[in-house]
Amino acid sequence: MAAFRNLCALISRNVTHVRPAQLRIMTRGLATAKAPSSLFASLDTFADRHIGPDDNEVAHMLAKLGYDSMDAFVADTVPEKIRVSPAAVSNESIPSLSESELFLRAKELGRANKPFKSFIGMGYHNAVVPPVILRNILESPAWYTPYTPYQPEIAQGRLESLVNFQTMVMSLTSMDIANASLLDEATAAAEGMVMAFSGANGKKRTFFADGGVAPQTIAVLRTRAKGFGINLVVGDALTDLNDKALRADLCGVLVQYPDVNGAVKDFSGLAATVHAAGALLVCATDLLALTMLKPPGEWGADIVLGNSARFGVPAGYGGPHAAFFACTDKLKRKMPGRLIGRSRDVNGKPAYRLALQTREQHIRREKATSNICTSQALLANMAAMYAVYHGPVNLQRIAQKVHGFTQIIKNAVENYGYKTVNAQFFDTLTIDVSGVVKNAEAVHSAAEAAGINLRRIDDHYVGLTLDESVGTEDIVALINVFASAASQPPVSANDLASPSAFTIPENLRRTSKFLHHPVFNTHHSETEMLRYIYHLQSKDLGLVHAMIPLGSCTMKLNSTSSMIPLTWPEFSNAHPFAPKDQVKGYEQLIKELESDLCKITGFHACSLQPNSGAAGEYAGLSVIRAYHESRGEGHRDICLIPVSAHGTNPASAVMAGLKVVPVKTHADGNLDLEDLKAKAEKHKDNLAAFMITYPSTFGVFEDGVQDACKIIHDNGGQVYLDGANLNAQIGLTNPATCGGDVCHMNLHKTFAIPHGGGGPGVGPICVAEHLAPFLPSHPITPTGGDKAISAVAAAPYGSASILLISWAYIKMLGGAGLSEASKVALLNANYMAHRLSGHYTLRYKNGKGRVAHELLIDLAEFDKAAGLKVIDFAKRLQDYGFHPPTCSWPISTCMLIEPTESETLQEIDRFCDAMIQIRKEAEDIITGKQPKDNNVLKNAPHPISVIAAEDWDRPYSRETAAYPMPWLREKKFWPTVSRIDDAYGDLHLICDCPSVEESASSL
């Protein structure tokens, strides 16, 4: 009770230690939108709602920087020689739509998609999204606007949910450990292949994929295998591996369980054979099937992966979906992707965090074997919540219903004379129709007449896959398709009978229990589920609370108007392999988005297939390699990369089969052109590519970018321009003008797709005309050029459904709005640099004293003077209600700050006031007013549990800890734990939910 009184007294007390100047708040006008041009002009224009500062605030910031116009400011910020004509990106080239006009256009495109019921399968299902999850996670900005949980003290909610995801996967697969999701099933399989190859230390180069693996997975394996020099063999794993010569060079085997044709096979004998050969067995599987089938962990799999989307994530024309990836304990430190682990804070309170971060490519760079730097967090959270909501009992009931319906269809079609090829199955049948009809097209025609899609295999076979969405009326319709093709009378629901028993063989039935953890057995009413979702979201800081000024992450507004069409069934229900004439709306939307991205980048062609920024890097470099090979120069394998580059750059280069040669930078942050020229000339006979980020990761537009690109071209190489910082370029310059041949864009940065707490993302590439023929293909749906590389993602257009968001963003801003957004992003960053000058050291700026869209401040002086590290400033910012900027990258002693165009002057000033106040707190430590080892920064953050504690023995007040600025009394986001003990978490690696006993002991 005394602790409660302490807290109440603290809240009611007035602030006396903040100077009056810091109480300044610039108020915005009640109506900040520009006056309409006429009575007939739209009032719901998007630019006014997306761009934070109004005209008065823009004028105020320009005046503070010494400018009387935006044009004069931009002239000092962006080099004149790379500027493009204002007409390049304008309302003439990209017309703008109001919000209401956008909805009408989206509805028009949605109507062009035919609402067929797809039973195509092949890894994609018609998921049933529980409304409580749809509304409160997928459609909730509290869940989709946060960033990757690198700051765990303000991310405990989604960290707990991702642990639920990991636990769900571990339990259903019966594996030792699972990560927090990968991009899709096909790329997860490629990661498994490379793990097997790396585990053999390069001594064995053959990886075998069973013919029952999905064709899109095989295609992605081919792409990945080429870069690593892996010999990919496809065949029958149960027979072909009897070849001793094949086994002698074997590093791994991939099987699908159940396979793409629906067959359920016993792979336990194969596991023994593979292990005897010293190789790894990788298994792609289905989580719902594993509620009934013997899990791979019980029959010898080393790595288990798959797509979790049928656990409540829409098909969305192919994605985004969260792949899962699990492995045995001995492989855990080689597992790609993010891993959430249990740790504790400095007070011993249990807490979650990203574990084993040293596995990430940011640190390993050219020594990495994976460029994974993201996950599919939002979709993984949806899948985890689906399991939490249904629990093990209902999940098995769903599985049994799906399996039972499949049996009914099998029995019915066999009565008409058709033959099912796979005797054992879960939800998929491959049916031989040749005994009934002359050609399978007769069945497909009957299906089309009924508004149904079946899987097209060949002239003699058709396939079908059932899922949770299938009801009795769907079963009747399916059976009648086969009846019609066989000239048999139709059936009705009254003719159906439940099967007497399940047909899964005894030795392949699951007998072990799963999902026994309390979290999966508690929240089954909507009331409890809703409260659990809101309980978790209350722990996480997102854009709903404050700006997230992460440098190189572009955490701008994810507008509601851009998000709304995403969950319309016209878009969310489309199967990625549906016939083209059924998805004309999607095709038109994709065509428009590709065209707009080409206008923005200055390039000729675009591929939307890469489903992350790093995947875009890999795709672009693979295209460059294919171009060289087409010219008889496949030997070109050197990639020059500045030492300042993002860690994914060298990792992606290695994956594409390139050798990385680093290039120096000068002390002022600019690229060392002399070093670049020397290395380009040294390697001119083998030079393949040069990777450069522009503006640089140091936050400046370098004057010599065109000169750098010319050096590369003069020596036979191609230029890959990393588009991570494209938000600073639009309408002002572009990658083509800078001298690039290919670039990727982060649609989840520049074009407003939400970060989702760590994914999804989209990383399309745009290329010059000579590279267009090599854009990625797909084995099911034709994409790419006439000399295309094989697929880089499972779906033809990657994470297709969220392309809607970027399409809407571009259409609503139009060319003029896009250009204005980039200008204001530059202005906000430069104003912030101005306000922080004199308090912090600005590391880099151009000759006119300007930064680009982000700024790098160096905190090294505080380590020397007060023992304060970057992390101390970051954790203290949490007490002020802000997510810290990017920490210790690209320089270990720095913070990289990016405000974006969406933040108002008031919010920017609030952040700057917080940073300035923290600087004063640091000065107290420097001058000895506060001890170096026990101060408000070293002890940050301060959760309520600390502030309200009975004892307070710190050399500063509770008030200073909790309310260092006056506005925090009105709006305060509280961290839920104290600073996390990272070392403890890595030494005691626990990556699943607490058990019943552990949950009880923590109460």
Side-chain angles (χ1 to χ4, degrees):
M1 197 62 193
F4 179 72
R5 288 194 298 271
N6 289 337
L7 184 59
C8 291
L10 178 58
I11 293 172
S12 64
R13 210 176 299 161
N14 291 322
V15 176
T16 58
H17 63 281
V18 179
R19 296 176 184 177
Q22 294 170 323
L23 299 178
R24 169 182 53 83
I25 297 177
M26 270 201 80
T27 56
R28 292 169 60 84
L30 293 178
T32 59
K34 296 178 178 64
S37 57
S38 77
L39 180 65
F40 304 101
S42 298
L43 296 180
D44 58 340
T45 52
F46 181 65
D48 296 320
R49 299 180 178 185
H50 172 75
I51 298 173
D54 62 19
D55 288 348
N56 291 333
E57 293 175 338
V58 167
H60 171 81
M61 289 189 282
L62 286 171
K64 288 292 183 181
L65 296 176
Y67 297 99
D68 58 7
S69 73
M70 181 69 84
D71 288 343
F73 161 72
V74 171
D76 280 356
T77 305
V78 184
E80 179 63 28
K81 57 186 174 182
I82 63 167
R83 292 290 300 277
V84 296
S85 166
V89 181
S90 65
N91 279 357
E92 285 69 42
S93 60
I94 305 177
S96 65
L97 300 176
S98 68
E99 291 185 329
S100 55
E101 290 169 340
L102 184 281
F103 290 146
L104 291 174
R105 175 61 175 153
K107 279 292 184 185
E108 181 183 15
L109 292 177
R111 285 192 295 270
N113 295 328
K114 296 179 182 179
F116 272 49
K117 181 79 170 181
S118 287
F119 298 89
I120 298 170
M122 301 181 71
Y124 297 96
H125 304 86
N126 304 300
V128 176
V129 187
V132 67
I133 294 174
L134 177 71
R135 174 59 59 90
N136 298 293
I137 293 184
L138 180 57
E139 296 180 344
S140 170
W143 281 89
Y144 65 67
T145 66
Y147 188 65
T148 301
Y150 287 123
Q151 297 292 334
E153 298 85 359
I154 50 175
Q156 286 297 297
R158 64 188 181 281
L159 283 168
E160 178 176 328
S161 184
L162 289 172
V163 166
N164 292 346
F165 178 83
Q166 293 176 175
T167 304
M168 172 189 78
V169 172
M170 292 162 61
S171 183
L172 286 167
T173 62
S174 198
M175 298 300 287
D176 297 324
I177 196 165
N179 71 17
S181 75
L182 292 178
L183 300 177
D184 61 31
E185 181 174 313
T187 55
E191 296 288 346
M193 175 179 69
V194 175
M195 271 183 72
F197 173 67
S198 300
N201 297 316
K203 296 177 181 178
K204 296 181 178 182
R205 311 192 76 87
T206 297
F207 188 83
F208 191 98
D210 185 71
V213 172
Q216 66 269 23
T217 299
I218 298 291
V220 171
L221 289 179
R222 291 193 191 283
T223 314
R224 190 73 62 92
K226 184 175 182 179
F228 284 96
I230 297 170
N231 175 33
L232 178 65
V233 178
V234 181
D236 187 336
L238 294 179
T239 59
D240 293 357
L241 289 176
N242 291 327
D243 184 343
K244 290 184 179 180
L246 185 61
R247 294 201 307 273
D249 191 48
L250 191 68
C251 66
V253 175
L254 172 65
V255 296
Q256 191 113 22
Y257 173 78
D259 73 16
V260 71
N261 300 311
V264 179
K265 300 175 183 177
D266 184 352
F267 290 121
S268 58
L270 176 65
T273 299
V274 171
H275 293 153
L280 298 180
L281 182 59
V282 185
C283 174
T285 191
D286 177 283
L287 293 179
L288 189 65
L290 294 185
T291 65
M292 296 184 70
L293 297 179
K294 186 176 183 179
E298 294 180 11
W299 48 253
D302 300 289
I303 297 170
V304 181
L305 55 92
N307 183 355
S308 68
R310 74 185 304 172
F311 275 27
V313 179
Y317 202 38
H321 298 149
F324 59 88
F325 193 100
C327 64
T328 58
D329 185 72
K330 67 180 181 180
L331 297 174
K332 66 186 178 186
R333 293 182 184 271
K334 297 181 179 180
M335 182 172 58
R338 292 175 179 152
L339 183 67
I340 313 300
R342 278 192 273 162
S343 186
R344 64 186 184 189
D345 69 9
V346 293
N347 297 314
K349 182 179 179 179
Y352 297 105
R353 59 180 281 277
L354 283 169
L356 302 180
Q357 292 186 52
T358 54
R359 299 171 308 118
E360 292 194 6
Q361 83 299 322
H362 301 279
I363 294 171
R364 301 190 67 200
R365 297 179 69 83
E366 65 272 11
K367 295 180 181 179
T369 56
S370 170
N371 69 350
I372 291 292
C373 73
T374 190
S375 60
Q376 299 281 27
L378 182 66
L379 300 316
N381 283 328
M382 289 179 67
M385 288 297 185
Y386 179 94
V388 169
Y389 193 38
H390 285 294
V393 174
N394 211 40
L395 284 177
Q396 195 163 62
R397 287 172 180 164
I398 293 169
Q400 289 169 351
K401 184 171 184 176
V402 170
H403 179 62
F405 277 177
T406 310
Q407 286 180 259
I408 291 173
I409 292 175
K410 176 181 180 293
N411 296 338
V413 299
E414 287 180 342
N415 287 337
Y416 298 137
Y418 301 99
K419 295 180 180 179
T420 51
V421 175
N422 49 317
Q424 283 81 42
F425 57 86
F426 168 62
D427 63 0
T428 298
L429 300 175
T430 297
I431 301 170
D432 182 351
V433 301
S434 59
V436 180
V437 296
K438 292 182 179 180
N439 192 293
E441 191 58 39
V443 178
H444 290 299
S445 295
E448 183 178 358
I452 285 173
N453 289 323
L454 299 174
R455 180 188 171 202
R456 291 179 177 269
I457 300 176
D458 58 27
D459 290 344
H460 303 293
Y461 299 93
V462 301
L464 63 87
T465 297
L466 304 191
D467 53 52
E468 181 190 0
S469 73
V470 175
T472 304
E473 65 281 4
D474 298 308
I475 298 298
V476 171
L478 266 174
I479 293 172
N480 284 335
V481 163
F482 288 92
S484 174
S487 300
Q488 295 293 322
V491 301
S492 68
N494 294 331
D495 299 316
L496 304 181
S498 298
S500 57
F502 299 125
T503 60
I504 296 172
E506 190 73 31
N507 66 318
L508 293 178
R509 293 182 187 177
R510 179 162 201 145
T511 58
S512 56
K513 293 183 178 181
F514 56 91
L515 301 183
H516 56 276
H517 309 77
V519 71
F520 299 110
N521 295 276
T522 305
H523 311 289
H524 301 326
S525 74
E526 182 168 332
T527 302
E528 287 302 316
M529 188 65 189
L530 185 66
R531 289 170 182 165
Y532 182 61
I533 290 171
Y534 272 74
H535 169 64
L536 294 191
Q537 84 176 38
S538 71
K539 301 180 179 185
D540 290 10
L541 187 146
L543 287 175
V544 297
H545 301 101
M547 71 184 297
I548 302 180
L550 285 156
S552 195
C553 298
T554 316
M555 299 294 292
K556 63 172 66 179
L557 169 72
N558 313 125
S559 73
T560 305
S561 52
S562 299
M563 295 291 293
I564 283 175
L566 179 65
T567 54
W568 291 350
E570 302 96 304
F571 296 109
S572 63
N573 290 346
H575 192 285
F577 305 149
K580 289 258 185 179
D581 67 341
Q582 295 177 18
V583 286
K584 288 183 178 179
Y586 255 121
E587 294 293 313
Q588 180 61 31
L589 182 149
I590 287 167
K591 181 180 178 180
E592 291 179 11
L593 180 57
E594 289 176 343
S595 175
D596 288 343
L597 292 176
C598 285
K599 292 172 185 175
I600 288 166
T601 60
F603 284 128
H604 177 77
C606 177
S607 171
L608 297 169
Q609 192 176 114
N611 48 12
S612 78
E617 294 174 13
Y618 169 64
L621 291 171
S622 297
V623 163
I624 287 174
R625 293 224 69 188
Y627 166 74
H628 286 311
E629 289 169 1
S630 75
R631 293 160 50 89
E633 296 184 332
H635 60 278
R636 290 188 174 273
D637 64 353
I638 297 296
C639 186
L640 303 181
I641 302 179
V643 294
S644 61
H646 196 276
T648 54
N649 284 183
S652 297
V654 169
M655 286 172 56
L658 298 170
K659 299 173 183 175
V660 175
V661 175
V663 179
K664 298 176 184 177
T665 56
H666 290 301
D668 64 359
N670 288 330
L671 183 69
D672 187 334
L673 290 179
E674 291 184 4
D675 188 54
L676 177 69
K677 188 172 187 293
K679 287 173 177 172
E681 291 176 347
K682 176 182 177 181
H683 297 287
K684 65 180 179 180
D685 293 334
N686 296 303
L687 181 62
F690 169 54
M691 300 186 78
I692 184 172
T693 302
Y694 199 73
S696 77
T697 55
F698 292 148
V700 291
F701 282 98
E702 298 180 43
D703 288 328
V705 63
Q706 290 176 323
D707 297 330
C709 295
K710 186 177 186 300
I711 289 170
I712 300 304
H713 291 144
D714 288 348
N715 288 280
Q718 296 284 289
V719 175
Y720 181 96
L721 198 148
D722 187 317
N725 295 336
L726 188 66
N727 202 51
Q729 294 187 35
I730 301 178
L732 306 177
T733 183
N734 62 47
T737 300
C738 291
D741 299 289
V742 55
C743 76
H744 89 268
M745 296 145 285
N746 297 94
L747 298 191
H748 50 288
K749 296 182 182 180
T750 309
F751 299 102
I753 289 176
H755 284 72
V762 180
I765 57 173
C766 285
V767 298
E769 187 171 4
H770 64 283
L771 296 180
F774 307 97
L775 289 174
S777 63
H778 193 273
I780 310 299
T781 301
T783 62
D786 55 8
K787 300 178 183 177
I789 63 172
S790 53
V792 296
Y797 301 105
S799 297
S801 68
I802 57 175
L803 299 178
L804 274 157
I805 302 168
S806 294
W807 170 82
Y809 172 84
I810 292 171
K811 292 304 181 189
M812 287 191 292
L813 276 180
L818 289 165
S819 298
E820 185 67 15
S822 285
K823 293 174 184 178
V824 174
L826 298 175
L827 179 61
N828 282 353
N830 278 274
Y831 173 78
M832 187 176 282
H834 168 76
R835 281 222 56 203
L836 295 180
S837 64
H839 304 281
Y840 295 94
T841 300
L842 180 65
R843 186 67 183 263
Y844 299 116
K845 53 190 176 183
N846 70 9
K848 299 290 183 68
R850 302 274 70 90
V851 298
H853 65 306
E854 57 192 359
L855 57 142
L856 195 65
I857 61 171
D858 198 335
L859 305 177
E861 62 188 278
F862 300 104
D863 190 6
K864 298 175 182 177
L868 294 173
K869 310 287 187 183
V870 173
I871 193 173
D872 298 316
F873 286 81
K875 301 307 180 185
R876 182 55 175 156
L877 260 175
Q878 294 180 16
D879 286 329
Y880 287 75
F882 284 106
H883 192 292
T886 300
C887 295
S888 300
W889 186 85
I891 298 174
S892 62
T893 59
C894 291
M895 277 184 169
L896 187 63
I897 309 171
E898 180 183 1
T900 84
E901 72 275 13
S902 296
E903 300 301 339
T904 63
L905 176 59
Q906 179 179 341
E907 183 72 353
I908 292 170
D909 276 334
R910 201 168 68 89
F911 176 82
C912 291
D913 288 343
M915 289 294 293
I916 292 168
Q917 183 65 21
I918 293 173
R919 173 63 180 85
K920 294 173 182 177
E921 293 172 344
E923 186 65 23
D924 286 345
I925 301 166
I926 293 171
T927 59
K929 292 181 180 179
Q930 291 286 317
K932 289 185 176 182
D933 60 346
N934 182 19
N935 55 68
V936 74
L937 273 78
K938 285 291 183 183
N939 294 334
H942 299 81
I944 290 178
S945 58
V946 169
I947 298 297
E950 293 281 354
D951 299 322
W952 185 265
D953 57 357
R954 305 186 181 195
Y956 51 89
S957 69
R958 299 177 198 258
E959 183 177 16
T960 297
Y963 298 112
M965 297 298 285
W967 33 262
L968 289 168
R969 295 179 177 278
E970 174 68 22
K971 187 172 69 172
K972 166 81 173 178
F973 183 89
W974 290 91
T976 53
V977 293
S978 297
R979 193 177 303 193
I980 305 294
D981 186 338
D982 290 330
Y984 179 88
D986 281 350
L987 290 172
H988 305 82
L989 190 62
I990 303 173
C991 300
D992 62 355
C993 298
S995 65
V996 176
E997 293 78 14
E998 289 171 322
S999 298
S1001 66
S1002 66
L1003 296 176

